[in-house]
Amino acid sequence: MSRRPCIFGEVLFDLFPGGRRVLGGAPFNVAWNLRALGEDPLLVSRVGTDANGLSVRTAMQVWGMSQECLQLGASEHTGEVRVRIEDGEPSYDIVHPVAWDVIEPPDPIPQAGLLYHGSLALRSPQSRGAFEALRAAKPGTVFLDVNLRDPWWDEAAVVKMLQGADWAKFNEFEFDRLAPKGDSTESRARAAIGRFKLRALLLTAGERGACLFTEDGDVFRTEPADAVEIVDTVGAGDAFAAVTILGILRGWPYQSCLDRAQAFAS
Protein backbone atom coordinates (compact mmCIF):
# COMPACT_ATOMS: atom_id res chain seq x y z
CA MET A 1 0.00 0.00 0.00
CA SER A 2 1.19 3.51 -0.83
CA ARG A 3 1.93 5.90 2.06
CA ARG A 4 0.48 8.69 -0.07
CA PRO A 5 -2.43 10.49 1.62
CA CYS A 6 -5.78 10.75 -0.15
CA ILE A 7 -7.80 13.87 0.68
CA PHE A 8 -11.52 13.75 -0.15
CA GLY A 9 -14.05 16.55 -0.25
CA GLU A 10 -14.83 20.13 -1.09
CA VAL A 11 -12.78 22.77 -2.83
CA LEU A 12 -14.34 26.23 -2.89
CA PHE A 13 -13.86 29.96 -2.61
CA ASP A 14 -14.54 31.74 0.68
CA LEU A 15 -16.09 35.13 -0.08
CA PHE A 16 -15.41 37.62 2.74
CA PRO A 17 -16.99 40.99 3.53
CA GLY A 18 -15.35 43.73 1.50
CA GLY A 19 -14.82 41.55 -1.55
CA ARG A 20 -11.86 39.42 -0.38
CA ARG A 21 -11.92 36.04 -2.12
CA VAL A 22 -9.86 33.12 -0.75
CA LEU A 23 -9.41 29.65 -2.20
CA GLY A 24 -10.15 27.02 0.42
CA GLY A 25 -12.46 24.35 1.72
CA ALA A 26 -11.16 22.16 4.55
CA PRO A 27 -9.97 19.25 2.35
CA PHE A 28 -8.29 21.62 -0.11
CA ASN A 29 -6.60 23.49 2.73
CA VAL A 30 -5.34 20.22 4.21
CA ALA A 31 -4.07 19.05 0.81
CA TRP A 32 -2.14 22.21 -0.04
CA ASN A 33 -0.66 22.42 3.46
CA LEU A 34 0.53 18.82 3.11
CA ARG A 35 2.04 19.65 -0.28
CA ALA A 36 3.87 22.64 1.22
CA LEU A 37 5.16 20.35 3.99
CA GLY A 38 6.70 17.92 1.52
CA GLU A 39 3.97 15.34 0.93
CA ASP A 40 2.27 14.51 -2.40
CA PRO A 41 -1.43 14.33 -1.49
CA LEU A 42 -4.05 13.07 -3.90
CA LEU A 43 -7.03 15.45 -3.79
CA VAL A 44 -10.32 13.81 -4.78
CA SER A 45 -12.71 16.67 -5.51
CA ARG A 46 -14.65 18.34 -8.32
CA VAL A 47 -14.84 21.82 -9.84
CA GLY A 48 -16.86 23.40 -12.62
CA THR A 49 -15.81 24.77 -15.99
CA ASP A 50 -16.39 28.32 -14.72
CA ALA A 51 -13.78 30.96 -13.91
CA ASN A 52 -13.50 29.73 -10.31
CA GLY A 53 -12.76 26.21 -11.52
CA LEU A 54 -10.00 27.52 -13.76
CA SER A 55 -8.57 29.43 -10.79
CA VAL A 56 -8.49 26.25 -8.72
CA ARG A 57 -6.68 24.30 -11.43
CA THR A 58 -4.20 27.12 -12.03
CA ALA A 59 -3.40 27.40 -8.32
CA MET A 60 -2.86 23.64 -8.06
CA GLN A 61 -0.52 23.72 -11.04
CA VAL A 62 1.47 26.62 -9.57
CA TRP A 63 1.76 24.85 -6.19
CA GLY A 64 2.77 21.53 -7.76
CA MET A 65 -0.35 19.69 -6.57
CA SER A 66 -1.52 16.58 -8.40
CA GLN A 67 -4.72 17.03 -10.40
CA GLU A 68 -5.12 13.39 -11.37
CA CYS A 69 -8.24 13.00 -9.19
CA LEU A 70 -9.61 16.53 -9.57
CA GLN A 71 -12.80 16.08 -11.59
CA LEU A 72 -14.19 18.65 -14.02
CA GLY A 73 -17.96 19.05 -14.40
CA ALA A 74 -19.18 20.76 -17.55
CA SER A 75 -21.47 23.70 -16.75
CA GLU A 76 -21.30 22.98 -12.99
CA HIS A 77 -20.61 25.71 -10.45
CA THR A 78 -17.40 25.58 -8.43
CA GLY A 79 -18.12 25.78 -4.71
CA GLU A 80 -18.55 29.09 -2.89
CA VAL A 81 -19.06 30.04 0.75
CA ARG A 82 -20.09 33.49 1.92
CA VAL A 83 -18.25 34.16 5.18
CA ARG A 84 -19.26 36.64 7.89
CA ILE A 85 -16.98 37.44 10.84
CA GLU A 86 -18.81 38.14 14.10
CA ASP A 87 -16.88 38.68 17.37
CA GLY A 88 -13.78 37.15 15.78
CA GLU A 89 -15.56 33.95 14.75
CA PRO A 90 -16.68 33.01 11.22
CA SER A 91 -20.19 32.04 10.15
CA TYR A 92 -20.90 30.48 6.76
CA ASP A 93 -23.48 30.47 3.98
CA ILE A 94 -22.52 27.40 1.95
CA VAL A 95 -23.89 27.49 -1.61
CA HIS A 96 -25.78 24.36 -2.76
CA PRO A 97 -25.69 22.50 -5.11
CA VAL A 98 -22.18 22.80 -6.53
CA ALA A 99 -19.62 20.63 -8.30
CA TRP A 100 -18.29 18.93 -5.16
CA ASP A 101 -21.79 17.61 -4.44
CA VAL A 102 -21.42 15.22 -7.40
CA ILE A 103 -17.93 13.78 -6.95
CA GLU A 104 -17.58 10.42 -8.71
CA PRO A 105 -15.45 7.46 -7.55
CA PRO A 106 -11.93 7.76 -9.02
CA ASP A 107 -10.93 5.15 -11.60
CA PRO A 108 -8.86 3.38 -10.48
CA ILE A 109 -9.53 3.68 -6.75
CA PRO A 110 -6.26 4.77 -5.09
CA GLN A 111 -4.65 2.60 -2.42
CA ALA A 112 -3.96 5.24 0.21
CA GLY A 113 -1.90 5.11 3.36
CA LEU A 114 -4.34 7.61 4.87
CA LEU A 115 -7.79 8.80 3.80
CA TYR A 116 -8.88 12.22 5.11
CA HIS A 117 -12.43 13.53 4.87
CA GLY A 118 -14.76 15.98 6.56
CA SER A 119 -18.47 15.62 7.16
CA LEU A 120 -19.58 18.48 4.89
CA ALA A 121 -18.78 16.89 1.51
CA LEU A 122 -20.89 13.87 2.42
CA ARG A 123 -24.07 16.00 2.43
CA SER A 124 -25.06 14.64 -1.01
CA PRO A 125 -25.71 10.96 -1.89
CA GLN A 126 -23.43 10.97 -4.96
CA SER A 127 -20.36 12.32 -3.18
CA ARG A 128 -21.10 10.07 -0.21
CA GLY A 129 -21.06 7.07 -2.56
CA ALA A 130 -17.70 8.16 -3.98
CA PHE A 131 -16.26 8.41 -0.48
CA GLU A 132 -17.58 4.98 0.48
CA ALA A 133 -15.81 3.52 -2.56
CA LEU A 134 -12.54 5.04 -1.33
CA ARG A 135 -13.06 3.72 2.20
CA ALA A 136 -13.93 0.25 0.87
CA ALA A 137 -10.39 0.09 -0.58
CA LYS A 138 -9.19 -0.19 3.07
CA PRO A 139 -6.75 2.71 3.51
CA GLY A 140 -4.27 2.39 6.34
CA THR A 141 -5.94 5.13 8.40
CA VAL A 142 -9.26 6.98 8.04
CA PHE A 143 -9.10 10.52 9.49
CA LEU A 144 -12.44 12.29 10.01
CA ASP A 145 -12.42 16.05 10.50
CA VAL A 146 -15.87 16.73 11.93
CA ASN A 147 -17.28 19.90 10.38
CA LEU A 148 -20.86 20.66 11.50
CA ARG A 149 -22.34 23.36 9.29
CA ASP A 150 -26.08 23.99 9.60
CA PRO A 151 -28.20 22.88 7.84
CA TRP A 152 -25.80 20.48 6.11
CA TRP A 153 -25.43 17.80 8.74
CA ASP A 154 -27.45 15.07 10.39
CA GLU A 155 -26.40 13.49 13.69
CA ALA A 156 -27.10 9.91 12.62
CA ALA A 157 -25.04 10.36 9.46
CA VAL A 158 -22.10 11.87 11.34
CA VAL A 159 -22.21 9.07 13.91
CA LYS A 160 -21.97 6.58 11.04
CA MET A 161 -18.91 8.44 9.73
CA LEU A 162 -17.33 8.29 13.19
CA GLN A 163 -17.91 4.56 13.35
CA GLY A 164 -15.90 4.19 10.14
CA ALA A 165 -12.99 6.38 11.29
CA ASP A 166 -9.69 5.64 13.06
CA TRP A 167 -8.90 9.25 14.04
CA ALA A 168 -11.49 11.96 14.63
CA LYS A 169 -10.94 15.68 15.17
CA PHE A 170 -13.50 17.87 16.94
CA ASN A 171 -13.71 21.46 18.07
CA GLU A 172 -15.46 22.15 21.38
CA PHE A 173 -18.90 22.75 19.85
CA GLU A 174 -18.72 19.56 17.79
CA PHE A 175 -17.49 17.52 20.74
CA ASP A 176 -20.30 18.80 22.94
CA ARG A 177 -22.90 17.86 20.32
CA LEU A 178 -21.59 14.38 19.51
CA ALA A 179 -19.62 12.95 22.44
CA PRO A 180 -21.49 10.77 24.97
CA LYS A 181 -22.46 12.58 28.14
CA GLY A 182 -20.14 12.38 31.14
CA ASP A 183 -18.72 14.12 34.19
CA SER A 184 -15.62 15.51 32.47
CA THR A 185 -14.09 16.12 29.06
CA GLU A 186 -11.76 13.18 29.59
CA SER A 187 -14.53 10.75 30.54
CA ARG A 188 -16.57 11.84 27.55
CA ALA A 189 -13.58 11.42 25.24
CA ARG A 190 -12.98 7.90 26.61
CA ALA A 191 -16.64 7.05 26.04
CA ALA A 192 -16.47 8.41 22.48
CA ILE A 193 -13.36 6.36 21.69
CA GLY A 194 -15.12 3.26 22.98
CA ARG A 195 -18.41 3.94 21.24
CA PHE A 196 -16.90 4.77 17.85
CA LYS A 197 -13.90 2.40 18.13
CA LEU A 198 -11.41 5.17 17.44
CA ARG A 199 -7.63 4.91 17.72
CA ALA A 200 -7.39 8.56 18.70
CA LEU A 201 -9.58 11.59 19.32
CA LEU A 202 -8.37 15.16 18.85
CA LEU A 203 -10.11 18.05 20.61
CA THR A 204 -9.10 21.59 19.63
CA ALA A 205 -9.93 24.58 21.83
CA GLY A 206 -8.61 27.60 19.93
CA GLU A 207 -6.31 29.82 21.98
CA ARG A 208 -6.45 27.32 24.89
CA GLY A 209 -4.70 24.65 22.84
CA ALA A 210 -5.70 21.05 22.19
CA CYS A 211 -5.89 17.55 23.66
CA LEU A 212 -5.26 14.14 22.16
CA PHE A 213 -6.86 11.04 23.68
CA THR A 214 -5.80 7.56 22.55
CA GLU A 215 -7.41 4.12 22.66
CA ASP A 216 -4.66 3.02 25.10
CA GLY A 217 -5.86 5.55 27.69
CA ASP A 218 -3.11 8.15 27.18
CA VAL A 219 -3.86 11.88 27.25
CA PHE A 220 -1.63 14.51 25.65
CA ARG A 221 -2.14 18.26 25.97
CA THR A 222 -0.64 21.32 24.32
CA GLU A 223 -1.04 25.09 24.46
CA PRO A 224 0.19 27.90 22.21
CA ALA A 225 3.77 28.75 23.11
CA ASP A 226 3.11 32.49 23.02
CA ALA A 227 0.11 34.79 23.12
CA VAL A 228 -1.60 34.77 19.75
CA GLU A 229 -3.31 37.83 18.35
CA ILE A 230 -6.52 36.59 16.75
CA VAL A 231 -6.84 38.01 13.25
CA ASP A 232 -8.86 35.37 11.40
CA THR A 233 -9.60 31.80 12.55
CA VAL A 234 -10.67 30.51 9.11
CA GLY A 235 -8.39 27.61 8.17
CA ALA A 236 -6.67 27.24 11.54
CA GLY A 237 -8.31 23.87 12.18
CA ASP A 238 -7.30 22.69 8.71
CA ALA A 239 -3.69 23.67 9.42
CA PHE A 240 -3.88 21.67 12.65
CA ALA A 241 -5.27 18.65 10.80
CA ALA A 242 -2.58 18.80 8.11
CA VAL A 243 0.31 18.66 10.56
CA THR A 244 -1.40 15.91 12.55
CA ILE A 245 -1.70 13.87 9.35
CA LEU A 246 1.96 14.57 8.60
CA GLY A 247 2.80 13.18 12.03
CA ILE A 248 0.71 10.05 11.47
CA LEU A 249 2.39 9.42 8.11
CA ARG A 250 5.89 9.99 9.50
CA GLY A 251 5.41 8.18 12.80
CA TRP A 252 5.99 11.11 15.15
CA PRO A 253 5.40 10.61 18.89
CA TYR A 254 1.95 11.79 19.92
CA GLN A 255 3.21 14.76 21.97
CA SER A 256 5.46 15.99 19.16
CA CYS A 257 2.59 15.65 16.72
CA LEU A 258 0.26 17.67 18.95
CA ASP A 259 2.80 20.41 19.73
CA ARG A 260 3.76 20.88 16.09
CA ALA A 261 0.13 20.94 14.93
CA GLN A 262 -0.69 23.59 17.56
CA ALA A 263 2.29 25.74 16.59
CA PHE A 264 1.40 25.61 12.90
CA ALA A 265 -2.28 26.41 13.52
CA SER A 266 -1.32 29.34 15.72
Side-chain angles (χ1 to χ4, degrees):
M1 178 182 292
S2 170
R3 191 178 72 95
R4 190 179 188 187
C6 181
I7 311 299
F8 177 89
E10 65 272 16
V11 54
L12 50 84
F13 279 91
D14 288 319
L15 307 179
F16 289 83
R20 188 161 65 100
R21 177 174 166 271
V22 179
L23 177 55
F28 186 84
N29 289 340
V30 169
W32 78 258
N33 276 320
L34 283 169
R35 182 59 183 150
L37 293 165
E39 293 293 325
D40 185 22
L42 191 62
L43 177 68
V44 180
S45 189
R46 190 175 180 95
V47 297
T49 53
D50 51 12
N52 281 347
L54 177 60
S55 294
V56 171
R57 289 180 283 143
T58 300
M60 291 181 70
Q61 182 178 9
V62 169
W63 295 337
M65 295 173 66
S66 169
Q67 297 186 45
E68 59 191 280
C69 286
L70 180 70
Q71 300 165 19
L72 187 62
S75 302
E76 294 170 11
H77 293 290
T78 301
E80 289 186 343
V81 175
R82 300 179 184 99
V83 183
R84 297 186 303 276
I85 307 296
E86 299 171 354
D87 297 325
E89 290 294 327
S91 61
Y92 307 91
D93 175 17
I94 304 170
V95 177
H96 174 271
V98 290
W100 54 262
D101 285 308
V102 288
I103 300 172
E104 299 174 354
D107 184 18
I109 298 292
Q111 295 292 311
L114 182 144
L115 172 61
Y116 164 98
H117 73 106
S119 47
L120 180 58
L122 274 62
R123 69 181 179 178
S124 73
Q126 184 163 335
S127 291
R128 189 161 59 246
F131 167 74
E132 289 170 354
L134 290 167
R135 190 171 61 185
K138 300 188 182 303
T141 299
V142 177
F143 187 110
L144 169 61
D145 193 349
V146 178
N147 192 9
L148 305 185
R149 297 285 183 255
D150 291 331
W152 305 116
W153 71 281
D154 170 79
E155 184 169 344
V158 178
V159 165
K160 185 177 179 181
M161 295 176 211
L162 285 162
Q163 291 168 338
D166 301 300
W167 282 65
K169 175 182 160 291
F170 300 80
N171 64 25
E172 291 177 296
F173 167 76
E174 294 155 351
F175 182 81
D176 190 57
R177 292 296 301 266
L178 296 169
K181 300 304 178 187
D183 297 331
S184 66
T185 298
E186 186 169 340
S187 68
R188 297 183 70 190
R190 299 255 170 264
I193 287 172
R195 178 184 179 189
F196 304 130
K197 296 181 170 53
L198 299 170
R199 289 187 214 157
L201 184 153
L202 276 165
L203 176 59
T204 61
E207 62 187 11
R208 296 193 308 281
C211 299
L212 171 62
F213 305 89
T214 75
E215 63 181 343
D216 296 328
D218 295 322
V219 183
F220 302 89
R221 305 180 191 278
T222 192
E223 296 179 358
D226 301 298
V228 177
E229 179 184 355
I230 303 298
V231 176
D232 180 349
T233 61
V234 176
D238 307 332
F240 194 105
V243 173
T244 302
I245 289 169
L246 191 70
I248 295 169
L249 294 171
R250 298 185 180 181
W252 294 347
Y254 284 132
Q255 189 65 58
S256 296
C257 186
L258 195 62
D259 290 341
R260 292 167 181 174
Q262 179 63 57
F264 189 57
S266 294

